[in-house]
Amino acid sequence: MKEKVVAINRVAKVVKGGRRFSFSAIVVVGDGNGTVGYGLGKANEVTDAIAKGIDDAKKNLVKVPLYKHTVPHVMEGKYSGGFVLVQPAAAGTGVIAGGAMRAVFESAGIKDVLAKSKGSSNPHNVVKATFDALLKMRDPMQIAQQRGITLSQVFNG
């Protein structure tokens, strides 16, 4: 499993003696072959927060459809104020996406994709909106089964 830390945030709790600091980390894990998950970890130390985030991400793994190392079709994802646009790209294009989205695509094993983040730039919203877009995608085999046609008919119209 590939593990990528998307963001680490220092949060403060105001107590009688002043401020008590702790850390929250959002982490993305994936096998590089279409399985990916994200998790949030909170702890008093950065390393503990990352470890908790990795454990949480491994509990929330999902399978996303891949088509020749890219996504099958154009899709928009939304979570709270975060909007993302994800579209397939030709082989050799690479991952053209912002930081939080890039971590998700690289962990999922998507090598060629064009993506744009619109709205909120909060890493939590962007990661969750990217997952929303990826989970709404359907691969050609799925479409053929739903329509009751052959795979070649899906491609040729």
Side-chain angles (χ1 to χ4, degrees), residues 18-150:
R19 292 186 184 93
R20 181 169 295 148
F21 296 105
S22 63
F23 297 90
S24 76
I26 185 161
V27 183
V28 176
V29 301
D31 66 352
N33 201 21
T35 304
V36 67
Y38 69 91
L40 177 66
K42 297 181 207 169
N44 290 331
E45 298 294 326
V46 175
T47 52
D48 296 341
I50 292 170
K52 284 183 180 181
I54 290 168
D55 292 341
D56 189 34
K58 287 180 180 174
K59 291 176 193 170
N60 300 317
L61 291 174
V62 292
K63 188 86 175 133
V64 297
L66 296 178
Y67 180 69
K68 297 181 182 175
H69 297 292
T70 187
V71 291
H73 54 85
V74 177
M75 184 55 70
E76 285 188 354
K78 178 186 183 299
Y79 181 84
S80 187
F83 298 90
V84 297
L85 173 69
V86 179
Q87 58 189 30
T93 304
V95 177
I96 299 175
M101 287 188 293
R102 179 177 291 273
V104 175
F105 294 137
E106 288 176 354
S107 296
I110 298 171
K111 291 181 175 58
D112 302 302
V113 67
L114 297 167
K116 179 71 181 162
S117 172
K118 302 180 276 193
S120 172
S121 60
N122 180 337
H124 295 269
N125 290 342
V126 174
V127 167
K128 290 174 185 175
T130 306
F131 269 85
D132 178 52
L134 290 175
L135 290 174
K136 288 195 282 188
M137 300 233 174
R138 301 184 304 169
D139 63 340
M141 290 293 286
Q142 227 179 347
I143 294 169
Q145 285 178 339
Q146 287 174 341
R147 294 182 187 173
I149 57 177
T150 64

